[in-house]
């Protein structure tokens, strides 16, 4: 038994610090192998905790390359809010244009139940009762098709005395220039309804490689209007149209188109004139 105890005896070590000049003992540390290992581990853990606290709770962390500061965090939050708002606006425009297209094509309009439905951007395809907004939209379009703004008594009036119906509500992306650009471009969402500005007769409606789907209408008083780059034409040559009647849907067709817009031309007595002088867009 005594022999076994001797074999398991723990070795101890001593670390001594001497003064090299007078050989006096200045400091002594006694330790064993297990104690040295535990002490070293405790030192490493302690330094790790101190390093973590310095990085996590002091401005030292801002010196780390790529670490976000308060300004970058605030900018990221603002950008996320702007992106979310833009997504909602795009969804609303898509719903608006899709409903217009369905109404023009005689299809069942989309059913909008709530704002949450708009945010989900899920189209409802059931045959349920029409939503109130869709009913109002359908009624307005039908009224525009039947409403005649022109008057036969205005036949001999100068162009300044004629009341034009706006062909499209949008933003004029490029204005009229008599030499370089004798017409205007109106930007609007795809599938927006393009309407005739006056009573008249369709004299051209078809495809052109440069202008895409194009429709031209002859009006009284030697007035001609042309609508280019449409996605779809709603009238054919020979059709009679009234002011405000839908004649096409906005698109970006044709090799000369750079996006969804309406190329609109107004001609009077064989000369291209500035539509913005007579039409309120």
């Amino acid at each position: 038994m005594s022999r076994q105890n001797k074999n398991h005896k723990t070795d101890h070590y001593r670390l001594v610090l001497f003064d090299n000049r007078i050989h006096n003992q200045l400091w002594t540390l006694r330790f064993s192998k297990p104690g040295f290992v535990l002490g070293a581990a405790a030192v490493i853990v302690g330094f790790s905790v101190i390093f973590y606290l310095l990085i996590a709770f002091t401005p030292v962390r801002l010196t780390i390359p790529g670490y976000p500061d308060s300004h970058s965090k605030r900018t990221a939050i603002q950008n996320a809010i702007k992106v979310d708002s833009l997504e909602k606006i795009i969804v609303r425009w898509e719903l608006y244009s899709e409903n217009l297209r369905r109404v023009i094509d005689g299809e069942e309009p989309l059913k909008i139940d709530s704002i949450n439905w708009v945010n989900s951007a899920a189209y409802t395809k059931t045959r349920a009762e029409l939503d109130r907004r869709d009913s109002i939209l359908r009624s307005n379009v039908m009224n525009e098709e039947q409403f005649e703004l022109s008057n036969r008594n205005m036949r001999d009036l100068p162009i300044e005395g004629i009341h034009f119906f706006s062909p499209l509500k949008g933003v004029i992306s490029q204005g009229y220039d008599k030499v370089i650009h004798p017409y205007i471009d109106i930007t609007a969402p795809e599938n927006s309804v393009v309407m005739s500005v006056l009573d008249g007769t369709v004299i051209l409606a078809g495809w052109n490689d440069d202008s895409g789907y194009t429709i031209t209408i002859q009006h009284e008083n030697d007035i001609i209007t042309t609508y280019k780059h449409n996605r779809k034409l709603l009238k054919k040559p020979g059709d009679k149209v009234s002011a405000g009647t839908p004649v096409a849907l906005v698109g970006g067709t044709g090799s000369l188109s750079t996006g969804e817009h309406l190329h609109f031309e107004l001609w009077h007595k064989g000369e291209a004139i500035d539509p913005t002088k007579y039409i309120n867009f």
Side-chain angles (χ1 to χ4, degrees), residues 8-235:
H8 290 83
K9 182 175 64 174
T10 302
D11 295 330
H12 288 81
Y13 302 90
R14 182 172 61 179
L15 181 64
V16 181
L17 182 64
F18 285 94
D19 187 335
N20 188 48
R21 185 173 56 85
I22 59 177
H23 298 286
N24 287 340
Q25 182 175 325
L26 302 177
W27 178 76
T28 302
L29 174 65
R30 293 181 176 85
F31 58 90
S32 61
K33 286 183 178 180
F36 177 79
V37 173
L38 291 176
V43 171
I44 294 173
V45 171
F47 275 107
S48 299
V49 171
I50 294 173
F51 182 77
Y52 171 78
L53 294 177
L54 288 174
I55 296 299
F57 300 103
T58 66
V60 176
R61 65 181 182 275
L62 300 180
T63 61
I64 300 176
Y67 191 91
D69 55 11
S70 59
H71 176 72
S72 60
K73 289 181 179 178
R74 183 168 58 254
T75 302
I77 294 174
Q78 292 175 351
N79 290 337
I81 294 174
K82 291 179 180 179
V83 170
D84 183 66
S85 300
L86 289 174
E87 289 178 349
K88 292 180 180 178
I89 293 173
I90 291 173
V91 169
R92 291 190 179 97
W93 271 110
E94 289 178 348
L95 295 177
Y96 173 76
S97 60
E98 177 67 13
N99 257 343
L100 284 178
R101 184 194 66 78
R102 287 172 174 253
V103 170
I104 297 301
D105 293 344
E107 300 177 5
E108 193 77 11
L110 299 174
K111 188 175 186 302
I112 304 175
D113 296 326
S114 64
I115 296 299
N116 292 332
W117 184 92
V118 174
N119 292 336
S120 67
Y123 291 160
T124 304
K125 299 182 179 180
T126 63
R127 303 291 296 182
E129 183 181 359
L130 294 177
D131 186 84
R132 180 179 62 85
R133 295 181 182 178
D134 295 326
S135 299
I136 295 175
L137 179 62
R138 179 183 290 273
S139 176
N140 290 340
V141 173
M142 293 179 65
N143 289 336
E144 290 177 354
E145 291 179 349
Q146 299 174 358
F147 188 74
E148 295 188 6
L149 293 177
S150 62
N151 192 323
R152 296 299 179 185
N153 296 328
M154 298 173 60
R155 185 185 306 272
D156 298 326
L157 288 176
I159 189 171
E160 290 80 4
I162 298 176
H163 180 79
F164 289 88
F165 196 95
S166 177
L168 178 68
K169 290 297 182 182
V171 177
I172 298 178
S173 57
Q174 187 169 1
Y176 175 90
D177 184 278
K178 187 175 182 178
V179 178
I180 301 176
H181 197 260
Y183 32 79
I184 64 172
D185 292 332
I186 308 171
T187 302
E190 187 178 16
N191 292 324
S192 297
V193 178
V194 178
M195 292 163 284
S196 175
V197 298
L198 293 171
D199 294 349
T201 303
V202 178
I203 59 176
L204 184 149
W207 171 264
N208 182 283
D209 290 338
D210 293 335
S211 305
Y213 286 108
T214 302
I215 185 169
T216 300
I217 304 174
Q218 174 72 60
H219 310 282
E220 294 183 354
N221 300 306
D222 293 327
I223 296 175
I224 295 177
T225 54
T226 299
Y227 316 76
K228 297 182 179 181
H229 302 307
N230 300 288
R231 189 189 71 83
K232 181 178 181 180
L233 301 180
L234 305 178
K235 300 295 180 181

Side-chain angles (χ1 to χ4, degrees), residues 242-271:
S242 301
T245 299
V247 296
L249 299 179
V250 171
T253 58
S255 61
L256 297 180
S257 176
T258 57
E260 287 73 22
H261 73 285
L262 171 66
H263 171 111
F264 178 68
E265 300 178 8
L266 178 62
W267 295 77
H268 182 231
K269 296 182 178 181
E271 181 180 359

